Amino acid sequence: MTIIASEYSGSKAKSTDDCLSCHEDKDLVMDSDGSKKSMFVNPELYKKSAHSIAECTDCHLNYKAEELPHSADKKLENCRTCHEDSKGLEKSVHAKTQCIDCHGSHYTKKVSELKNEGDANCMSCHKKKEIAKFSSTIHGKKGVKCNDCHGDGHNVKNISRNQITEMCGKCHSESKMNFKGSIHHTVFKGGGKKTPVCTDCHGVHNTISSKHSIQSEACLNCHLDEKMFPGTETGSAKFVEQYKTSIHASIKKGEMESAGCTDCHGDHMIDSPDDPASSTKRARLIETCGKCHADVVANFKKSKHGVELLKNNEKAPTCSDCHGEHSIKSALLSDGASKLVMADKCLDCHKDGKIPHKNFKGEEELITGYKNSVHYQALVEGNESAPTCSDCHGAHEMELAENPDSKISKKNIANTCGQSDCHGKQLTNFEGSIHEKGVNAGNQDAPTCNNCHGNHGIVSKDLENKLQKSRDLIQLCTNCHESVEMIERNELPTKVSETYKESFHGLATRGGLKEAANCESCHGYHNVRPSSDSLSTIHKNNLPQTCGNCHPGATEILITSKIHLTDLKEDSPWVFWITRFYIILIFGLIGFMLLHNIQDYRKKKKSNAKNEN
Amino acid sequence: MRKMKIDDDKYLRMTLNERVQHFLLLSSFIILVITGFWLKYPEAWWVRWITVLIGENAFNARSLIHRIAAVAMILTSVYHIIYLAASPRGRKLFIDFLPKRSDLTEFGNSMKYLFGNSAEKPRFGRFSYIEKMEYWAVVWGTVIMGATGFILWFKDYFFKYISNTGMEIASAIHFYEAILASLAILVWHFYFVFLNPDVYPVNKAWIRGYLTRQQLEHEHPKWLEEIENKEPVNLEPENNASEALSEIMIIEPKETKTETETETETETETNKDKADNKKNEPETSEIKSEEDNEPERKPVIKNNDEVSDSKNEDNV
């Protein structure tokens, strides 16, 4: 219901009650520039308010009760006429804010009431989105109030960048302490205007809880700025940018990167990259990476690389030397070149005997020989299952061959080469062979894969050239089976090499017949077994088949006698005596012929000379 | 059969047919020796030269060449047997090659002359113990080498019957027999054909077919005497000439044919002349008489021989 002005009879009331007699009407409105403004004053609330002791006219000056509106020149009494103690208000950010904006007009609140009311009062003016969210932030939820940061009562103030650290530190004292030791704070104190303080990373009012508060975005906002971090060196924007392509950035845990900036660099206490105590410095890197990659680092610490690193050997590699820094890639996210890249990485240190190889045996055995190997060539040609360094040596658990646990120790090499999708078939053949038995018995003379095939420079000797292949193989076997030292030490059969070389097969191979049988034709290669072993290719039951591979007519008759006639007199008395007979015959007969002819020559010369005379 | 004496200074030693046989034998033999020892000593310096000359695959050709040469030699041997059996001259040749008791005495005398005190140089007939040894060594060698060679060649077949030891035996025999044969040829045959002061630098009989009178006087005085003193047998010379010609035609290329034709013609002509002058005696009787007369004639001839020797030297 609207008060109609004409109905107003006027009054000379001066008391509050007089005013309220009209203004207690809820429907009392006034036309003001076309809109209707409520003139209602709740008398109950008013009487409860702090100002119940004050009369309306104490504040509403120049009011004439009989006129409508009551005053053409209405004026509010300055609150400070009464509230003289409200000091510092002029200096506060609220200097231009009217008292009633916070304290209310007719229902003025007491300080205690205002405190109870809390942030809602502030929010009634501070409606910016960012601030509005405050109540839902960790601070809001945990009961942090506006005044906890901005101050009480009339001393409300803005907080300058310089003060923020201290302000947050009031509660977050540990973080403050950490931050004060950080590179960020050091630079800030030195006058760096753009260096971050708490709010730059955590936000101001919309502080986010836990990890989300420190998204890498916060760091990258500054660190990707090429103006701030020029160049391409470590620390430059370009250097940091590589992070975006890294495995750490690509794989997400929820919304977060699997490893964000702070996971490695630390948060508040972030050190100067030059500080030796920095979490990303060599000395501490395995610890830093180990936070997530605990197993890997545990293995690494046991490895030769790790042991040397822990001894502070400057040449020893740490995580980043192989994996890279910001650009770190997963071996699983192979882009085809990663295995090649790895080889290059290893060779950076291990090439040309730069880090001397214990078994260095000249050009062929150089680790760089790997680049000529079939393995490397296969990688180059795009076979991604071909092995790079780590496939044989292990990655983090890399060990010297002398270590029995090493993947490349004598006993383990066969298993390493025979890894499921590599040379498994060959491994199965090798198992149970006389060579493997020797290796397993700890005989250092017994050959395993690398003794025949070579180490790094496993080269496919021109396999098309069957003759050369055959001759190389014979050379390989005779390296041991011809060596007196080896034969004596291991009680190997004697004279196998020389008897072979004088045999039909041996002569043909020496001469150049590529089809002729060599060692492996009869003995097999990986599954070499003694003739006493029923699985052996040269066991008497298997010989007809073995020989039959080349000689279809071969029967049991063929192999009733020894093949390598190492002791002719015992193994084949016939051949022995025939040989003996012929040698005597040759020496006797040819000797006689020589004598006969020498004598004949002398006699004839003599008689010719006589005749001439 | 042709006459042995072609003219006063030419005595028929090997007919063209025999020379072709000899050539086939020697060429196959040399090839066999080279290709054989090539296998046994594959790293020898001369093998390297062959490899340089023929190429890297020379070794593969080696076994083929060896077998071809072996077949050639065996075919030659077979032909030789046919020749010995089928032609009159062949039969005579065979008979002359057969070892006789006189060879033993000649050998004994030779030993006495060479190593003992005897100043008496033994006088040899058509084939001395030296040549007979050579001939039968070749026969023996061919049989042994052929047999063992075939076993080694067809090893896959023989594996059914022969053990590895059998192969080793065949191989050992083949190898040592080869050394023996090669050394025998080198020391024995080559000495008498090349180094022998009587024929030095070479006895050209295996090329030209005839020996000079002087060579006969030195090497085969008894045979020379036979030819000179006794009238050589001449069985139907015309037929023989044509027979020889036909044999030549099979073996020899055309160019040489004309030469040989003329040669044989002249041979036959001269033979005719001689035959006219001398009595014709049947072959068998000649051999008989040779054997019968030998011991009686010996001292007489020897004197004559020495005289004629010195005469010839003077004339030369």
Side-chain angles (χ1 to χ4, degrees), chain A residues 510 551 561 582 596-597 600, chain B residues 43 129 156 165 177 187 191:
Chain A
R510 280 161 68 195
H551 304 291
S561 60
Y582 263 109
H596 178 279
N597 291 352
D600 184 76
Chain B
E43 292 95 4
Y129 69 90
D156 287 354
T165 306
E177 186 67 36
V187 175
Y191 169 76

Side-chain angles (χ1 to χ4, degrees), chain B residues 47-154:
Chain B
V47 169
R48 297 223 175 99
W49 277 107
I50 294 172
T51 316
V52 167
L53 286 173
I54 302 180
E56 277 305 309
N57 291 325
F59 192 80
N60 293 329
R62 183 211 66 84
S63 56
L64 183 66
I65 297 169
H66 193 77
R67 284 159 173 79
I68 291 172
V71 170
M73 187 188 244
I74 288 163
L75 289 180
T76 307
S77 306
V78 170
Y79 174 76
H80 181 68
I81 292 166
I82 296 167
Y83 174 74
L84 291 185
S87 77
R89 188 180 151 85
R91 282 192 291 273
K92 171 91 173 84
L93 191 69
F94 179 70
I95 287 159
D96 284 352
F97 264 132
L98 280 176
K100 299 183 183 72
R101 196 168 296 152
S102 60
D103 291 321
L104 269 179
T105 49
E106 276 176 19
F107 178 71
N109 290 338
S110 180
M111 289 300 102
K112 279 178 202 157
Y113 172 70
L114 290 176
F115 298 103
N117 295 324
S118 168
E120 205 175 306
K121 191 182 176 188
R123 295 163 53 79
F124 299 120
R126 186 178 180 190
F127 299 115
S128 68
Y129 69 90
I130 295 163
E131 283 130 347
K132 287 182 181 179
M133 264 173 74
E134 188 68 58
Y135 181 81
W136 290 108
V138 171
V139 172
W140 165 254
T142 309
V143 170
I144 291 285
M145 295 304 277
T148 55
F150 264 95
I151 290 174
L152 295 172
W153 182 351
F154 299 102

Side-chain angles (χ1 to χ4, degrees), chain A residues 554-568:
Chain A
T555 58
E556 285 77 9
I557 298 171
L558 168 62
I559 33 79
T560 46
S561 60
K562 262 178 94 171
I563 303 293
H564 289 273
L565 302 177
T566 47
D567 183 353
L568 206 55

Side-chain angles (χ1 to χ4, degrees), chain A residues 502 508 510-511 513 551 557-558 560-562 572 574 578-579 582 593 596-597 599-601 603-604, chain B residues 40 42-43 59-60 113-114 129 156 159-160 163-165 169 176-177 187-188 191-192 196 198 219:
Chain A
E502 286 303 318
R510 280 161 68 195
L513 203 68
H551 304 291
I557 298 171
L558 168 62
T560 46
S561 60
K562 262 178 94 171
S572 183
W574 270 99
I578 287 169
T579 306
Y582 263 109
M593 286 172 171
H596 178 279
N597 291 352
Q599 209 54 21
D600 184 76
Y601 186 82
K603 289 273 178 184
K604 279 176 178 166
Chain B
K40 188 72 181 178
E43 292 95 4
F59 192 80
N60 293 329
Y113 172 70
L114 290 176
Y129 69 90
D156 287 354
F159 272 149
K160 285 171 190 154
S163 73
N164 182 50
T165 306
I169 290 170
Y176 285 106
E177 186 67 36
V187 175
W188 199 240
Y191 169 76
F192 288 108
N196 180 2
D198 286 347
E219 300 284 315

Side-chain angles (χ1 to χ4, degrees), chain A residues 233-348:
Chain A
E233 300 287 296
T234 304
S236 69
K238 279 189 177 150
F239 173 72
V240 177
E241 196 176 9
Q242 297 171 352
Y243 170 73
K244 288 190 158 185
T245 64
S246 73
I247 173 84
H248 285 151
S250 332
I251 293 189
K252 305 273 186 187
K253 277 188 193 166
E255 288 176 16
M256 298 292 295
E257 297 93 355
S258 53
C261 305
T262 55
D263 289 315
C264 301
H265 292 282
D267 33 43
H268 299 108
M269 70 293 239
I270 189 161
D271 282 313
S272 156
D274 303 323
D275 188 335
S278 162
S279 62
T280 51
K281 263 302 184 208
R282 299 179 64 79
R284 288 190 56 204
L285 199 60
I286 50 172
E287 183 192 316
T288 303
C289 298
K291 286 195 292 182
C292 298
H293 303 281
D295 291 352
V296 169
V297 169
N299 279 335
F300 177 76
K301 279 183 178 172
K302 281 186 262 167
S303 80
K304 183 71 182 165
H305 281 153
V307 168
E308 290 297 318
L309 185 73
L310 293 174
K311 278 193 224 161
N312 291 326
N313 183 342
E314 283 181 7
K315 284 179 179 173
T318 185
C319 313
S320 61
D321 289 322
C322 299
H323 293 281
E325 295 168 319
H326 287 122
S327 59
I328 190 163
K329 290 263 165 44
S330 160
L332 299 171
L333 281 183
S334 166
D335 52 1
S338 72
K339 279 194 166 189
L340 293 173
V341 171
M342 179 184 280
D344 284 336
K345 279 258 191 270
C346 298
L347 289 176
D348 275 348

Side-chain angles (χ1 to χ4, degrees), chain A residues 339 375 385-387 391-392 415-427:
Chain A
K339 279 194 166 189
H375 287 152
S385 45
D391 288 304
C392 300
N415 288 326
T416 301
C417 298
Q419 290 170 53
S420 57
D421 49 352
C422 295
H423 302 288
K425 215 166 121 187
Q426 286 81 353
L427 175 64

